[in-house]
Amino acid sequence: MAFAGSAVTFISLYLAAGAPTPLLAFYQERWGFPAAVLTLAFAVYAIGFLAAMLTVGSLSDHVGRRPVLIGALFVQLVATLMFLAAPDIGWVIAARVVQGLATGAATSAFTAALAELAPPNRKKLGSILGSVGMTAGLAVGALLAGFAIQFTPEANTIIFAVLAIVTVLGIVVVALSPESVTRTPGALSSLIPRISVPPAARREFAAAAPVIAAIWMLAGLSLGLAPTIVRNVFHLNSGLVNGLSGFIAPATAAVVAVAFGRLSPRNGMTLGIYASIAGTIGVVTGVLAGSLALMIAGLVITGVGFGAAFSGSLRLIMPLAGPQQRAGIVAAIYVVAYIAFGLPVIIAGQLAAPLGLMPTVVGYGGATVVLALISLISQFGISRGRHE
């Protein structure tokens, strides 16, 4: 019961993170702010996430899982109530930062707790939930919010009232769950950010970093820019379509990460790079041609790229780090990922007004393709070096 309750609570954090994807367009219609502010409201989540991940990401190893998770869930509850009461976009931006802090603080602890609380014959399930819960939660959160906007008169109230109840229940579940870690010294020193790549992993990390950036940029495109594209290019003011555009890529990524688990990491990485390039071309072509169906198909393929490339990169890099080096290298991976998730979306939002949305999307897509190609060349170089 502790395992099941923790899994639901963990996924609910990412449900809440995915819900604003269609809601931001809903807020824009209500409050009338520019597209640049919309992309900022989306991307500031990454700032909060990184700040928490880099400081308290390892704290639960020292003080226990429960104190960290209960604290993070209370912060999440504050963010949810801020969304619920938000009178303007400034409150929403602040709520996104607080939401990022809560999710960043809880992610490492929840991922470890799921593996530790899983029944002896379900340990693999705990690891799978820890790895795919993020993308699955983002996807379902965006889709459910889209349904709420399309079919209910008070979408914001319904979404965040339900999430507040789920968060309170999650606090109760965590408080009643057994502690899976023995307290150890070093809690204060663990708050000092440690970003490091051990020498044995540097070549693989350097080869993977560009495509990690590319696929997380594509995630930002799906979750951050897609509502603006749907509204301004396809002239659709539909919460359901916005929710679907945010759902399709992370949902595909979650399925692919599980389905391709038996594929060798190198093959998975290479497949993911090809898929990310093909998907980007599909998205950009769909936008230029005015074809929503082609854009959605491109998002599906980018989801394949994300699931295969990110899973493959983790399986290539993590075994090269010792137990005491893993926190530093995970931090390095997430720094690359979340900077790519947030910063390019903010830049795109700023450029869309002076340059136009279509040139901005083309430039955004071109940047992801270049990064993916750099990784592809690096992968060929590593494979060739091992065969010589």
Side-chain angles (χ1 to χ4, degrees), residues 33 42 53 58 136 170 211 246 252 289 304 339 344 348 357:
F33 51 84
F42 166 78
M53 172 69 77
S58 301
V211 76
T252 305
V304 174
I339 288 176
L357 183 58

Side-chain angles (χ1 to χ4, degrees), residues 21 24 29 31-32 36 46 94 109 112 116 150 176 196 201 207 214-215 252 259 287 290 319 329 342 376 388:
T21 295
L24 287 173
E29 183 180 1
W31 295 321
E116 293 157 356
Q150 191 74 29
L176 296 177
S196 62
I215 59 178
T252 305
V287 172
I329 201 167
L376 185 62
E388 288 177 355

Side-chain angles (χ1 to χ4, degrees), residues 112-351:
L114 287 173
E116 293 157 356
L117 292 173
N121 60 339
R122 293 286 186 273
K123 291 297 183 184
K124 187 176 181 180
L125 178 60
S127 299
I128 290 172
L129 285 172
S131 63
V132 305
M134 294 184 284
T135 47
L138 288 170
V140 176
L143 186 63
L144 292 180
F147 270 103
I149 294 167
Q150 191 74 29
F151 299 113
T152 66
E154 293 293 336
N156 189 76
T157 301
I158 291 171
I159 291 165
F160 289 107
V162 171
L163 286 170
I165 294 169
V166 172
T167 304
V168 170
L169 293 175
I171 292 170
V172 174
V173 167
V174 172
L176 296 177
S177 297
E179 179 56 72
S180 53
V181 168
T182 303
R183 291 186 175 227
T184 58
L188 288 178
S189 63
S190 74
L191 300 177
I192 301 171
R194 291 177 175 83
I195 304 171
S196 62
V197 180
R202 284 175 187 168
R203 189 179 184 191
E204 288 288 1
F205 180 84
V211 76
I212 291 173
I215 59 178
W216 281 84
M217 281 180 67
L218 292 172
L221 173 68
S222 170
L223 292 163
L225 288 177
T228 302
I229 294 170
V230 167
R231 188 172 184 176
N232 295 339
V233 175
F234 303 110
H235 307 293
L236 293 172
N237 189 16
S238 168
L240 188 58
V241 174
N242 281 333
L244 180 63
S245 65
F247 165 82
I248 197 72
T252 305
V255 172
V256 167
V258 176
F260 289 7
R262 294 183 180 180
L263 200 65
S264 75
R266 187 75 60 197
N267 289 340
M269 170 71 87
T270 305
L271 174 63
I273 293 171
Y274 283 126
S276 65
I277 293 171
T280 302
I281 293 171
V283 170
V284 172
T285 304
V287 172
L288 293 176
S291 170
L292 179 62
L294 184 55
M295 189 189 86
I296 294 293
L299 289 173
V300 172
I301 300 170
T302 65
V304 174
F306 188 106
F310 195 57
S311 173
S313 65
L314 292 177
R315 290 191 291 147
L316 286 169
I317 295 169
M318 295 307 293
L320 301 176
Q324 302 304 316
Q325 300 170 323
R326 286 174 188 157
I329 201 167
V330 167
I333 291 169
Y334 274 102
V335 165
V336 172
Y338 271 84
I339 288 176
F341 185 60
L343 184 59
V345 172
I346 294 175
I347 295 171
Q350 296 296 321
L351 293 177

